[in-house]
Amino acid sequence: MKLVLLGAPGAGKGTQSAILAEKLGAPMISTGNILRAAVRNKTPVGLRAKEYMDKGELVPDEVIIGIMRERMAEPDCAGGYILDGMPRTIAQAEALEAGGVEVETALSIEISDEEIVSRMTGRRTCPECGATYHTVYEPPRKEGVCDKCGHKLAIRRDDEPETVLNRLKVYHAETEPLKDFYKKRGKLKTVGNRNGIAETTRIIFEALGI
């Protein structure tokens, strides 16, 4: 299965992509993870991407597409893959098509802006080991401290309220039109976000027939 997950930032695409990857035995290709690794390692691409990510803006298409083409040419993608965070614009989707990168199904997770703001502003991340928590839904055992390594938790710049609102604005302007793009190609499926990860997973499996 060659699948792309769509949805606003914080809709649960990363979580559900990981579950689908395990279920299908396909690699999850996350632009967010690849870009954050590049930022941590201070690579030239990472330094360039950081300027945009810190402001909640989209990283330029040529940077994203170059990274993803290299990754998807690796042997583990030969039997299918799950794209998380790519494409984010119609231009990217067209570039993927032009490059021979096939998407069989585009699955959109629908969720309100209000719920997104609540989710993302409560998220906390460990800068040492990368573990993530939430002040309401998944708090650490000790407030402000990572369960895994004991490091002090932090709020990612792109989870701060002002940045979240900007990211939503960008999503509605640049990424949401992809739903119509894939609908016209007969590839779009939509699911409403549910209470809890397990229930959302259940309806996704149902929509995909797996």
Side-chain angles (χ1 to χ4, degrees), residues 123-127 144 152-156:
R123 189 160 56 184
R124 301 292 182 270
T125 303
C126 177
K152 184 178 179 181
L153 298 178
I155 301 175
R156 277 181 12 201

Side-chain angles (χ1 to χ4, degrees), residues 9 54 57 97-98 124 146 160 169 172 191:
D54 282 350
E57 296 176 356
E97 287 186 345
R124 301 292 182 270
C146 179
E160 293 178 354
K169 181 179 178 181
H172 290 304
V191 295

Side-chain angles (χ1 to χ4, degrees), residues 184-201:
K184 288 178 179 177
R185 287 158 173 75
K187 298 180 177 182
L188 180 70
K189 294 181 184 294
T190 61
V191 295
N193 180 73
R194 302 295 177 90
N195 290 327
I197 293 171
E199 180 62 14
T200 301
T201 299

Side-chain angles (χ1 to χ4, degrees), residues 4-5 13-14 17 27-40 45-46 49 53 57-72 82-89 92 96 156 158 167 175:
V4 58
L5 265 66
K13 299 185 299 296
S17 291
M28 181 181 76
I29 308 203
S30 169
T31 55
N33 289 345
I34 292 172
L35 286 171
R36 281 191 285 273
V39 169
R40 283 197 306 271
V45 170
M53 293 169 69
E57 296 176 356
L58 295 179
V59 177
D61 288 353
E62 65 270 18
V63 177
I64 297 288
I65 291 168
I67 290 173
M68 298 306 289
R69 278 181 177 161
E70 290 179 357
R71 174 65 183 90
M72 294 165 73
I82 300 166
L83 302 183
D84 171 25
M86 170 71 172
R88 287 192 177 184
T89 64
Q92 287 181 354
L96 288 178
R156 277 181 12 201
D158 54 359
R167 291 178 70 190
T175 305

